[in-house]
Amino acid sequence: MLYQAYQFQDDLIAPLRDLARRLQMFSATAFWGPVGNMGRHFAAALEMISRFEITHERPDFAITSAMIGNRMAPVTVETVLDMPFGTLLRFAAETDAPRPRVLVVAPLSGHFATLLRGTVQTLLRDHDVYITDWANARDVPLSAGRFGMDDYVDYIIRFLEEIGPGAHILAVCQPCVQALAAVAVMSEEQHPATPRTMTLMAGPIDPRESPTKVNELAVSKSLAWFENSLIAAVPSRYRGAGRRVYPGFLQLVAFMSMNMERHQDAHRKLYDHLAKDESAEAGKIKNFYDEYFAVLDLTEEFYIETIERVFQKAELATGDLTHHGRKVDPGQIRNTALLTVEGRRDDICALGQTSAAHDLCRALRPHLKRHHLQANVGHYGVFNGRRWEGEIYPVVRNMILAME
């Protein structure tokens, strides 16, 4: 009844949000407009109420152009391959020069791929960019079957096949494990679409290294606890009715609880900016939380397998990871250059967890391995923001360029 209880509560609050939005429209008219300081505070309170909502629809990427060379080039988003649990999207920039093709593997951890909007926007300067656009499990009918860790790896391989030989792969956070597994499987099979480079950014290759609160929670509870406490059936009103999922709203609550004071402070600042009519400052906070409060559900099998195989057993690090029953051996990777990136202040995927990939990829020659430790950034700053653009991205670009 977990999902039904959440839905019931949201349905109860919906009329209040709607009323606040209507009052906002009325307050903007000359007939009944906010006057003076009190009026601005009233309007700010209305907007805060109207924003009290978690959405379950993917926001728009809103990438329409990119700086290529010394000009802004138009960008269109194309659907390359549409599959039940994920779509391969391409950001097609208007340019005649061939550019390295990069598959960005987005996390499947409660948020949509649009969380990597900034990552894609920066990569577009020098690359032909593709991304894994994962589906909200509550919108996938039961007839589509299951989606677990092995299926995730299958999707990565299928997407790389669609892009074609000579591409590159860049994984952010949680899918670093599946990306490394996919490249290992393809390398062992001498698959023609095996990527030339593999960039792993802030991912739990070995979560036993410098465990964080996230890692500790995963190992402190039994699988039965996760199944009984966090898994719920999708309500009948959605296409995925009856599918058992780990709801995105629970993941959001878990993330927020780790830094609740920071989120509370951000919303106090938002209220103050709105009351002072500081639209630019308010807009930055609203844009962040519009994305942050857009959540998707994970299939039960993917979530539970991730808890067990990635965090509790650390199967990739111990050499016990399998793909459809066949042992995954990163030692088979011989020609795909490896770059790992970690943030010095990352409190989700701490130091050493991602760089552990270098020991696993034991057959790679030294000149095909590189590690970048970025000072003064947390988890989000590894793939978004000023230091990603100015300090981390050049390292990624140079690794890809060297293997073209």
Side-chain angles (χ1 to χ4, degrees):
M1 299 298 293
L2 180 65
Y3 214 126
Q4 286 77 3
Y6 158 77
Q7 195 65 63
F8 178 70
Q9 176 180 291
D10 190 63
D11 290 344
L12 285 179
I13 298 174
L16 180 61
R17 290 195 299 262
D18 185 60
L19 176 61
R21 293 184 182 113
R22 291 175 184 273
L23 288 175
Q24 278 182 281
M25 290 189 291
F26 287 141
S27 67
T29 66
F31 176 71
W32 187 60
V35 178
N37 186 59
M38 182 177 293
R40 288 194 296 271
H41 278 276
F42 179 65
L46 289 175
E47 183 158 356
M48 295 297 288
I49 294 171
S50 70
R51 293 180 57 80
F52 188 67
E53 180 180 21
I54 296 175
T55 64
H56 300 265
E57 300 293 332
R58 177 174 70 74
D60 192 81
F61 274 98
I63 296 177
T64 58
S65 62
M67 178 62 71
I68 298 178
N70 58 359
R71 71 181 184 93
M72 290 298 293
V75 174
T76 56
V77 182
E78 301 175 350
T79 296
V80 179
L81 183 63
D82 191 6
M83 300 173 70
F85 290 95
T87 301
L88 177 63
L89 298 180
R90 179 192 178 204
F91 297 85
E94 191 176 285
T95 177
D96 295 329
R99 309 197 307 162
R101 291 160 295 144
V102 179
L103 172 63
V104 177
V105 185
L108 182 54
S109 56
H111 285 98
F112 290 93
T114 47
L115 196 67
L116 302 186
R117 182 183 292 107
T119 314
V120 172
Q121 186 75 67
T122 302
L123 284 167
L124 278 169
R125 297 175 188 171
D126 306 284
H127 307 90
D128 189 3
V129 183
Y130 298 75
I131 196 169
T132 59
D133 187 22
W134 301 113
N136 189 347
R138 82 175 193 179
D139 297 325
V140 182
L142 285 171
S143 59
R146 74 187 310 276
F147 185 82
M149 270 190 57
D150 286 354
D151 303 292
Y152 193 117
V153 174
D154 291 340
Y155 269 55
I156 293 176
I157 295 173
R158 182 67 188 88
F159 289 160
L160 285 168
E161 289 174 342
E162 194 68 24
I163 297 171
H168 307 261
I169 189 170
L170 181 150
V172 177
C173 190
Q174 160 258 321
C176 286
V177 171
Q178 290 87 351
L180 180 54
V183 174
V185 170
M186 297 176 79
S187 297
E188 184 171 5
E189 297 176 349
Q190 298 185 6
H191 197 297
T194 303
R196 292 178 177 174
T197 71
M198 171 174 54
T199 300
L200 306 178
M201 305 181 69
I205 300 299
D206 189 351
R208 301 170 301 176
E209 293 285 339
S210 307
T212 64
K213 290 181 180 179
V214 174
N215 309 136
E216 291 170 355
L217 173 63
V219 300
S220 66
K221 307 289 186 181
S222 67
L223 283 182
W225 182 88
F226 285 102
E227 292 170 350
N228 296 329
S229 303
L230 302 180
I231 302 301
V234 175
S236 59
R237 70 175 72 179
Y238 302 110
R239 291 185 65 218
R243 182 180 292 280
R244 288 175 58 80
V245 299
Y246 172 53
F249 62 83
L250 287 182
Q251 182 78 307
L252 177 64
V253 170
F255 279 144
M256 292 190 68
S257 65
M258 294 177 61
N259 295 283
M260 187 56 71
E261 290 185 6
R262 187 183 70 184
H263 293 296
Q264 291 172 340
D265 184 59
H267 280 82
R268 282 192 290 268
K269 289 180 180 178
L270 174 58
Y271 177 86
D272 290 340
H273 289 317
L274 291 171
K276 295 175 183 177
D277 199 25
E278 297 171 343
S279 57
E281 292 83 354
K284 293 177 183 178
I285 299 176
K286 288 196 290 185
N287 289 340
F288 174 81
Y289 280 101
D290 284 346
E291 188 72 55
Y292 199 66
F293 288 159
V295 300
L296 58 73
D297 301 340
L298 285 64
T299 64
E300 174 186 26
E301 54 271 19
F302 179 78
Y303 178 70
I304 295 299
E305 288 174 15
T306 298
I307 293 294
E308 180 183 23
R309 302 176 67 185
V310 174
F311 292 103
Q312 293 188 350
K313 295 182 177 180
E315 289 182 351
L316 181 58
T318 61
D320 296 320
L321 185 67
T322 60
H323 175 246
H324 295 301
R326 180 180 175 184
K327 187 67 68 73
V328 173
D329 181 12
Q332 296 294 325
I333 302 174
R334 292 182 170 84
N335 301 310
T336 300
L338 170 66
L339 168 64
T340 55
V341 181
E342 295 179 336
R344 183 74 179 181
R345 297 180 178 177
D346 195 334
D347 60 353
I348 293 178
C349 188
L351 300 184
Q353 293 191 12
T354 311
S355 60
H358 290 273
D359 290 335
L360 298 178
C361 298
R362 57 190 181 277
L364 278 178
R365 289 163 291 175
H367 72 277
L368 294 179
K369 294 182 179 182
R370 181 168 182 180
H371 177 65
H372 179 77
L373 176 60
Q374 180 61 47
N376 301 316
V377 298
H379 189 71
Y380 192 73
V382 169
F383 55 89
N384 222 326
R386 179 168 55 87
R387 287 192 171 87
W388 150 248
E389 293 182 11
E391 300 179 47
I392 299 173
Y393 171 66
V395 178
V396 174
R397 179 193 60 207
N398 291 342
M399 169 68 84
I400 293 174
L401 183 62
M403 296 299 292
E404 274 292 295

